[in-house]
Amino acid sequence: MKSNLQAVSVGKLGMDRKMMMGYLGVLIFMIGDGLEQGWLSTYLTQNNMTVQEVATLLSFYGIAVAFASWLSGVLAEIYGPRKMMITGLVLFVLGTLVFLTVGIPTMNLSVMLPTYALRGLGYPLFAYSFLVWITYYAPAERLGTAVGWFWVSFAGGLNMLGAYYSSFALPILGEMNTLWSALAFTTIGSIFGILLCKTDIEKTELTIKQALKQITKGITIAFERPKVGLGGIVRAINTAGAYGLVVFLPAYMIDSGFTMSQWLQIYGALWASNVVFNLIWGAAADRIGWQFTVMWIGGIGCAVSLACLYYFPYFFGANYLLTITAAICFGSCLAAYVPLSALVPSLAPENRGAAMSILNLGAGLSTFLGPAIAGALIGSLGASGVIWAYIAMHVISTFIMIFVKLPKDVQQEQLSAEVAPAH
């Protein structure tokens, strides 16, 4: 009886009870992956790396993330999500071991680039393979909510809990030991996500030729279904600016009068609101429309709130309340892009894995684009020029979304039909 009550309670929240351990696994794994996000660049520059070298390291990492993100959807479809999640764990561990034992101690960029990139290959294979799992398992009418829960887990670990954990761990453990502790989180997360998640999709037995065809499909689907390709572009824009901020905004905030502690609180608040609103906008979009949510709340909302995040300190100095409010608004608007994870696969229902590969590629590219744009423009245009480049990108995403929509008859079917879970 108790089990049935738990299932009903969890079901009302839009999360299938059988998938709960998977969501928890992604959350814990991403804490390990994201614990250095808010401070690694500062630590490296304090140890004689230049800002340009740090931007290069983060951009190279972003390329690896983008590559693994693109492959994750199709590979999960071919070999099964569990197997690809295991692969992601192994790559993350190997990359971390070499990066921490050789790369950072020597501060040799030629060693740090490939080892940090190897680490970057790991998390997309782990997390985005689970996202493919969700798109096959969740009923169509609850898909927006289901992927909302995924992004709660993903962003909650990567961007919020990882940062808050570091704020407590750094004074006690120091930078290197804090980095080493990432392995504990990823191992525990993998136990929950791989071993304890109770459901699965059927394994597809394919020949090498068929597998290569499926991988190729992860590219060609963007041209066969142009709306899928456009959705991938919008996803790349989604978090590009947010990931690029860490290259230059901490210095800007400190120059504006904030302390490092205040900046970390502002940054944490940004991602905390993102975590909450990932679920809110995921559920709301099932009612008010996936396209509408991405266009107006995501695109325009991000453009306005990002401008506020930069210009409030510029005009009002170190006004903590105003700035943290702007950060919270920006984080919540970033979450309004969540319905892309429901909309894009629904544009190619017969090739959901390939469609997710395009979407995941966009997500991965954002980790490259943000730092790359900052590195390219910060010297000539300054922080304001980089911010306006990010603002323009969000406005462009709104325009692109005019063309990314389901046919009305298909949309109605998606929202109303009762679809049995795939196994």
Side-chain angles (χ1 to χ4, degrees), residues 26-38 40 61 65 88 92 96 116 118-124 126-127 154 157-159 162-163 166 179 181-183 185-187 243 367:
V26 170
L27 175 71
I28 298 172
F29 187 99
M30 296 312 297
I31 292 174
D33 182 79
L35 56 80
E36 82 275 11
Q37 191 178 69
L40 182 62
Y61 172 86
V65 170
F92 183 91
T96 299
Y116 199 53
L118 185 62
R119 193 174 187 269
L121 291 174
Y123 93 72
F126 184 90
F154 182 91
L158 178 65
N159 301 310
S166 287
L179 288 171
S181 69
L183 295 177
F185 286 103
T186 53
T187 300
Y243 288 133
T367 66

CSV table of all heavy atoms in Angstrom, one decimal, residues 26-38 40 61 65 88 92 96 116 118-124 126-127 154 157-159 162-163 166 179 181-183 185-187 243 367:
chain,number,residue,atom,x,y,z
A,26,VAL,N,21.9,11.2,-12.0
A,26,VAL,CA,22.4,12.3,-12.8
A,26,VAL,C,22.7,13.5,-11.9
A,26,VAL,O,23.8,14.1,-12.1
A,26,VAL,CB,21.3,12.7,-13.8
A,26,VAL,CG1,21.7,14.0,-14.5
A,26,VAL,CG2,21.1,11.6,-14.9
A,27,LEU,N,21.9,13.8,-10.9
A,27,LEU,CA,22.1,14.9,-10.0
A,27,LEU,C,23.5,14.7,-9.3
A,27,LEU,O,24.3,15.6,-9.3
A,27,LEU,CB,21.0,14.9,-8.9
A,27,LEU,CG,21.2,16.0,-7.8
A,27,LEU,CD1,21.0,17.4,-8.3
A,27,LEU,CD2,20.2,15.7,-6.6
A,28,ILE,N,23.7,13.5,-8.7
A,28,ILE,CA,25.0,13.3,-8.0
A,28,ILE,C,26.2,13.3,-8.9
A,28,ILE,O,27.2,13.9,-8.6
A,28,ILE,CB,24.9,12.0,-7.2
A,28,ILE,CG1,23.7,12.1,-6.1
A,28,ILE,CG2,26.2,11.7,-6.4
A,28,ILE,CD1,23.5,10.8,-5.4
A,29,PHE,N,26.1,12.7,-10.0
A,29,PHE,CA,27.2,12.6,-11.0
A,29,PHE,C,27.6,14.0,-11.4
A,29,PHE,O,28.7,14.4,-11.5
A,29,PHE,CB,26.8,11.8,-12.2
A,29,PHE,CG,27.9,11.6,-13.2
A,29,PHE,CD1,28.5,10.4,-13.2
A,29,PHE,CD2,28.2,12.5,-14.1
A,29,PHE,CE1,29.6,10.1,-14.1
A,29,PHE,CE2,29.3,12.3,-15.0
A,29,PHE,CZ,29.9,11.1,-15.0
A,30,MET,N,26.6,14.9,-11.7
A,30,MET,CA,26.9,16.2,-12.1
A,30,MET,C,27.4,17.1,-11.1
A,30,MET,O,28.1,18.1,-11.4
A,30,MET,CB,25.6,16.9,-12.8
A,30,MET,CG,25.1,16.1,-14.0
A,30,MET,SD,26.4,15.7,-15.2
A,30,MET,CE,26.9,17.4,-15.7
A,31,ILE,N,27.2,16.8,-9.8
A,31,ILE,CA,27.9,17.5,-8.7
A,31,ILE,C,29.4,17.4,-8.9
A,31,ILE,O,30.2,18.3,-8.8
A,31,ILE,CB,27.4,17.1,-7.3
A,31,ILE,CG1,26.0,17.4,-7.1
A,31,ILE,CG2,28.4,17.6,-6.2
A,31,ILE,CD1,25.4,16.9,-5.8
A,32,GLY,N,29.8,16.1,-9.1
A,32,GLY,CA,31.2,15.8,-9.3
A,32,GLY,C,31.8,16.5,-10.5
A,32,GLY,O,32.9,17.0,-10.5
A,33,ASP,N,31.0,16.6,-11.6
A,33,ASP,CA,31.5,17.2,-12.8
A,33,ASP,C,31.6,18.7,-12.7
A,33,ASP,O,32.4,19.4,-13.3
A,33,ASP,CB,30.6,16.9,-14.0
A,33,ASP,CG,31.1,17.4,-15.3
A,33,ASP,OD1,32.0,16.9,-15.9
A,33,ASP,OD2,30.5,18.5,-15.7
A,34,GLY,N,30.7,19.3,-11.9
A,34,GLY,CA,30.6,20.8,-11.9
A,34,GLY,C,31.1,21.5,-10.7
A,34,GLY,O,31.0,22.7,-10.6
A,35,LEU,N,31.8,20.8,-9.8
A,35,LEU,CA,32.2,21.4,-8.6
A,35,LEU,C,33.3,22.4,-8.8
A,35,LEU,O,33.5,23.3,-8.0
A,35,LEU,CB,32.7,20.3,-7.6
A,35,LEU,CG,33.7,19.3,-7.9
A,35,LEU,CD1,35.1,19.9,-7.8
A,35,LEU,CD2,33.6,18.1,-7.0
A,36,GLU,N,34.0,22.4,-9.9
A,36,GLU,CA,35.1,23.4,-10.1
A,36,GLU,C,34.7,24.5,-11.0
A,36,GLU,O,35.4,25.4,-11.3
A,36,GLU,CB,36.3,22.7,-10.8
A,36,GLU,CG,36.3,22.5,-12.3
A,36,GLU,CD,35.5,21.2,-12.7
A,36,GLU,OE1,34.9,20.6,-11.9
A,36,GLU,OE2,35.6,20.9,-13.9
A,37,GLN,N,33.4,24.5,-11.5
A,37,GLN,CA,33.0,25.4,-12.5
A,37,GLN,C,33.2,26.9,-12.1
A,37,GLN,O,33.6,27.7,-12.9
A,37,GLN,CB,31.5,25.2,-12.9
A,37,GLN,CG,31.0,25.9,-14.1
A,37,GLN,CD,29.6,25.5,-14.4
A,37,GLN,OE1,28.7,25.9,-13.7
A,37,GLN,NE2,29.4,24.8,-15.5
A,38,GLY,N,32.8,27.2,-10.9
A,38,GLY,CA,32.8,28.6,-10.5
A,38,GLY,C,34.2,29.2,-10.0
A,38,GLY,O,34.3,30.4,-9.9
A,40,LEU,N,37.6,27.3,-11.0
A,40,LEU,CA,38.8,26.8,-11.6
A,40,LEU,C,39.6,27.8,-12.4
A,40,LEU,O,40.8,27.9,-12.4
A,40,LEU,CB,38.5,25.6,-12.5
A,40,LEU,CG,39.7,24.9,-13.2
A,40,LEU,CD1,40.6,24.3,-12.2
A,40,LEU,CD2,39.2,23.8,-14.2
A,61,TYR,N,37.7,22.1,-24.0
A,61,TYR,CA,36.8,21.2,-23.3
A,61,TYR,C,35.4,21.2,-23.9
A,61,TYR,O,34.7,20.2,-24.0
A,61,TYR,CB,36.8,21.7,-21.8
A,61,TYR,CG,35.7,21.1,-20.9
A,61,TYR,CD1,36.0,19.9,-20.2
A,61,TYR,CD2,34.5,21.7,-20.7
A,61,TYR,CE1,35.1,19.3,-19.4
A,61,TYR,CE2,33.6,21.1,-19.9
A,61,TYR,CZ,33.9,20.0,-19.2
A,61,TYR,OH,33.0,19.4,-18.3
A,65,VAL,N,33.0,18.2,-25.2
A,65,VAL,CA,31.6,18.1,-24.8
A,65,VAL,C,30.6,18.0,-25.9
A,65,VAL,O,29.7,17.2,-26.0
A,65,VAL,CB,31.2,19.2,-23.8
A,65,VAL,CG1,29.7,19.2,-23.5
A,65,VAL,CG2,32.0,19.1,-22.5
A,88,GLY,N,30.6,6.7,-20.2
A,88,GLY,CA,30.8,8.1,-19.8
A,88,GLY,C,31.6,8.1,-18.5
A,88,GLY,O,32.5,9.0,-18.3
A,92,PHE,N,35.3,9.8,-17.9
A,92,PHE,CA,35.4,10.9,-16.9
A,92,PHE,C,36.5,10.6,-15.9
A,92,PHE,O,37.4,11.4,-15.5
A,92,PHE,CB,34.1,11.1,-16.1
A,92,PHE,CG,34.2,12.3,-15.1
A,92,PHE,CD1,33.8,13.5,-15.5
A,92,PHE,CD2,34.5,12.0,-13.8
A,92,PHE,CE1,33.9,14.6,-14.6
A,92,PHE,CE2,34.6,13.1,-12.9
A,92,PHE,CZ,34.2,14.3,-13.3
A,96,THR,N,40.1,12.6,-15.4
A,96,THR,CA,40.3,13.3,-14.1
A,96,THR,C,41.7,12.8,-13.6
A,96,THR,O,42.4,13.6,-13.0
A,96,THR,CB,39.2,13.0,-13.1
A,96,THR,OG1,38.0,13.5,-13.6
A,96,THR,CG2,39.5,13.6,-11.8
A,116,TYR,N,41.8,17.3,-19.9
A,116,TYR,CA,40.5,18.0,-19.5
A,116,TYR,C,39.4,17.7,-20.5
A,116,TYR,O,38.3,17.6,-20.2
A,116,TYR,CB,40.8,19.5,-19.3
A,116,TYR,CG,39.7,20.1,-18.4
A,116,TYR,CD1,39.4,19.6,-17.2
A,116,TYR,CD2,39.0,21.3,-18.9
A,116,TYR,CE1,38.4,20.2,-16.4
A,116,TYR,CE2,38.1,21.9,-18.1
A,116,TYR,CZ,37.8,21.4,-16.9
A,116,TYR,OH,36.8,22.0,-16.1
A,118,LEU,N,39.2,14.9,-22.3
A,118,LEU,CA,38.8,13.5,-22.0
A,118,LEU,C,37.8,13.5,-20.9
A,118,LEU,O,36.8,12.8,-21.0
A,118,LEU,CB,40.0,12.7,-21.7
A,118,LEU,CG,39.8,11.2,-21.5
A,118,LEU,CD1,39.2,10.6,-22.8
A,118,LEU,CD2,41.0,10.5,-21.0
A,119,ARG,N,38.0,14.3,-19.9
A,119,ARG,CA,37.1,14.4,-18.8
A,119,ARG,C,35.7,15.0,-19.4
A,119,ARG,O,34.6,14.6,-18.9
A,119,ARG,CB,37.6,15.4,-17.8
A,119,ARG,CG,36.9,15.4,-16.4
A,119,ARG,CD,37.8,16.3,-15.5
A,119,ARG,NE,37.3,16.3,-14.1
A,119,ARG,CZ,36.4,17.2,-13.7
A,119,ARG,NH1,35.8,18.1,-14.5
A,119,ARG,NH2,36.0,17.1,-12.4
A,120,GLY,N,35.8,15.9,-20.3
A,120,GLY,CA,34.6,16.5,-20.9
A,120,GLY,C,33.8,15.5,-21.7
A,120,GLY,O,32.6,15.7,-21.9
A,121,LEU,N,34.5,14.5,-22.3
A,121,LEU,CA,33.7,13.5,-23.0
A,121,LEU,C,32.8,12.7,-22.1
A,121,LEU,O,31.8,12.1,-22.6
A,121,LEU,CB,34.7,12.5,-23.7
A,121,LEU,CG,35.6,13.1,-24.9
A,121,LEU,CD1,36.6,12.0,-25.3
A,121,LEU,CD2,34.7,13.5,-26.0
A,122,GLY,N,33.1,12.6,-20.9
A,122,GLY,CA,32.4,11.7,-20.0
A,122,GLY,C,31.0,12.1,-19.6
A,122,GLY,O,30.0,11.3,-19.8
A,123,TYR,N,30.8,13.4,-19.2
A,123,TYR,CA,29.5,13.7,-18.7
A,123,TYR,C,28.3,13.7,-19.7
A,123,TYR,O,27.2,13.3,-19.4
A,123,TYR,CB,29.5,15.0,-17.8
A,123,TYR,CG,29.2,16.3,-18.6
A,123,TYR,CD1,27.9,16.6,-19.0
A,123,TYR,CD2,30.1,17.2,-18.8
A,123,TYR,CE1,27.6,17.7,-19.6
A,123,TYR,CE2,29.9,18.4,-19.4
A,123,TYR,CZ,28.6,18.7,-19.8
A,123,TYR,OH,28.3,19.9,-20.5
A,124,PRO,N,28.6,14.1,-21.0
A,124,PRO,CA,27.5,14.0,-21.9
A,124,PRO,C,27.0,12.6,-22.2
A,124,PRO,O,25.8,12.3,-22.3
A,124,PRO,CB,28.1,14.7,-23.2
A,124,PRO,CG,29.2,15.5,-22.7
A,124,PRO,CD,29.8,14.8,-21.6
A,126,PHE,N,27.1,10.1,-20.1
A,126,PHE,CA,26.4,9.7,-19.0
A,126,PHE,C,25.0,10.4,-18.9
A,126,PHE,O,24.0,9.7,-18.9
A,126,PHE,CB,27.1,10.0,-17.7
A,126,PHE,CG,26.5,9.5,-16.4
A,126,PHE,CD1,26.7,8.2,-16.0
A,126,PHE,CD2,25.5,10.2,-15.7
A,126,PHE,CE1,26.1,7.7,-14.8
A,126,PHE,CE2,24.9,9.8,-14.6
A,126,PHE,CZ,25.2,8.5,-14.2
A,127,ALA,N,25.0,11.7,-18.9
A,127,ALA,CA,23.7,12.4,-18.7
A,127,ALA,C,22.8,12.4,-19.8
A,127,ALA,O,21.6,12.1,-19.7
A,127,ALA,CB,24.0,13.9,-18.3
A,154,PHE,N,20.2,17.7,-13.8
A,154,PHE,CA,21.4,18.1,-14.5
A,154,PHE,C,21.9,19.4,-14.0
A,154,PHE,O,23.1,19.5,-13.5
A,154,PHE,CB,21.1,18.2,-16.0
A,154,PHE,CG,22.3,18.5,-16.8
A,154,PHE,CD1,23.0,17.5,-17.4
A,154,PHE,CD2,22.6,19.8,-17.1
A,154,PHE,CE1,24.1,17.8,-18.2
A,154,PHE,CE2,23.7,20.1,-17.9
A,154,PHE,CZ,24.5,19.1,-18.5
A,157,GLY,N,22.9,19.6,-10.1
A,157,GLY,CA,24.2,19.1,-9.8
A,157,GLY,C,25.3,19.9,-10.4
A,157,GLY,O,26.3,20.3,-9.7
A,158,LEU,N,25.3,20.2,-11.7
A,158,LEU,CA,26.4,20.8,-12.4
A,158,LEU,C,26.6,22.2,-12.0
A,158,LEU,O,27.7,22.7,-11.7
A,158,LEU,CB,26.1,20.8,-13.9
A,158,LEU,CG,27.1,21.5,-14.8
A,158,LEU,CD1,28.4,20.8,-14.8
A,158,LEU,CD2,26.6,21.5,-16.3
A,159,ASN,N,25.5,23.0,-11.9
A,159,ASN,CA,25.7,24.4,-11.7
A,159,ASN,C,25.4,25.0,-10.3
A,159,ASN,O,25.8,26.0,-9.9
A,159,ASN,CB,24.7,25.2,-12.7
A,159,ASN,CG,25.0,24.8,-14.1
A,159,ASN,OD1,26.2,24.9,-14.5
A,159,ASN,ND2,24.0,24.4,-14.9
A,162,GLY,N,27.1,21.7,-7.1
A,162,GLY,CA,28.6,21.6,-7.3
A,162,GLY,C,29.3,22.8,-6.8
A,162,GLY,O,30.3,22.8,-6.1
A,163,ALA,N,28.7,24.0,-7.1
A,163,ALA,CA,29.3,25.3,-6.7
A,163,ALA,C,29.2,25.5,-5.2
A,163,ALA,O,30.1,25.9,-4.5
A,163,ALA,CB,28.6,26.4,-7.4
A,166,SER,N,31.6,23.3,-3.4
A,166,SER,CA,33.0,23.8,-3.4
A,166,SER,C,33.1,25.0,-2.4
A,166,SER,O,34.2,25.1,-1.8
A,166,SER,CB,33.3,24.3,-4.8
A,166,SER,OG,33.5,23.2,-5.7
A,179,LEU,N,39.1,18.9,-6.1
A,179,LEU,CA,39.0,18.3,-7.4
A,179,LEU,C,39.0,16.8,-7.3
A,179,LEU,O,38.2,16.1,-8.1
A,179,LEU,CB,40.1,18.8,-8.3
A,179,LEU,CG,40.0,20.2,-8.7
A,179,LEU,CD1,41.3,20.7,-9.4
A,179,LEU,CD2,38.9,20.4,-9.7
A,181,SER,N,37.8,15.0,-5.0
A,181,SER,CA,36.5,14.5,-4.4
A,181,SER,C,35.5,14.3,-5.5
A,181,SER,O,34.4,13.7,-5.3
A,181,SER,CB,36.0,15.4,-3.4
A,181,SER,OG,35.6,16.7,-3.9
A,182,ALA,N,35.7,14.9,-6.7
A,182,ALA,CA,34.7,14.7,-7.8
A,182,ALA,C,34.5,13.2,-8.1
A,182,ALA,O,33.4,12.8,-8.5
A,182,ALA,CB,35.2,15.4,-9.1
A,183,LEU,N,35.6,12.4,-8.0
A,183,LEU,CA,35.5,11.0,-8.3
A,183,LEU,C,34.5,10.3,-7.4
A,183,LEU,O,33.8,9.3,-7.8
A,183,LEU,CB,36.8,10.3,-8.2
A,183,LEU,CG,37.9,10.8,-9.2
A,183,LEU,CD1,39.2,10.1,-9.0
A,183,LEU,CD2,37.4,10.6,-10.6
A,185,PHE,N,31.7,11.6,-6.1
A,185,PHE,CA,30.4,11.9,-6.5
A,185,PHE,C,30.0,11.2,-7.8
A,185,PHE,O,28.9,10.7,-7.9
A,185,PHE,CB,30.3,13.4,-6.8
A,185,PHE,CG,30.2,14.3,-5.5
A,185,PHE,CD1,31.3,15.0,-5.1
A,185,PHE,CD2,29.0,14.3,-4.8
A,185,PHE,CE1,31.2,15.7,-3.9
A,185,PHE,CE2,28.9,15.1,-3.6
A,185,PHE,CZ,30.1,15.8,-3.2
A,186,THR,N,30.9,11.1,-8.8
A,186,THR,CA,30.6,10.5,-10.0
A,186,THR,C,30.4,9.0,-9.8
A,186,THR,O,29.5,8.4,-10.5
A,186,THR,CB,31.7,10.7,-11.1
A,186,THR,OG1,32.9,10.4,-10.5
A,186,THR,CG2,31.7,12.2,-11.5
A,187,THR,N,31.1,8.4,-8.9
A,187,THR,CA,31.0,6.9,-8.7
A,187,THR,C,29.6,6.7,-8.0
A,187,THR,O,28.9,5.7,-8.4
A,187,THR,CB,32.1,6.4,-7.8
A,187,THR,OG1,33.4,6.7,-8.4
A,187,THR,CG2,31.9,5.0,-7.5
A,243,TYR,N,27.6,30.0,-19.8
A,243,TYR,CA,28.9,29.3,-19.7
A,243,TYR,C,30.0,30.3,-19.9
A,243,TYR,O,31.1,30.1,-19.4
A,243,TYR,CB,29.0,28.1,-20.6
A,243,TYR,CG,28.1,27.0,-20.1
A,243,TYR,CD1,27.3,26.3,-21.0
A,243,TYR,CD2,28.1,26.6,-18.8
A,243,TYR,CE1,26.5,25.2,-20.6
A,243,TYR,CE2,27.3,25.5,-18.4
A,243,TYR,CZ,26.5,24.8,-19.3
A,243,TYR,OH,25.7,23.8,-18.9
A,367,THR,N,28.9,25.1,-24.5
A,367,THR,CA,30.0,25.1,-23.6
A,367,THR,C,31.3,25.6,-24.3
A,367,THR,O,32.3,26.0,-23.7
A,367,THR,CB,30.3,23.7,-22.9
A,367,THR,OG1,30.7,22.8,-23.9
A,367,THR,CG2,29.0,23.2,-22.3
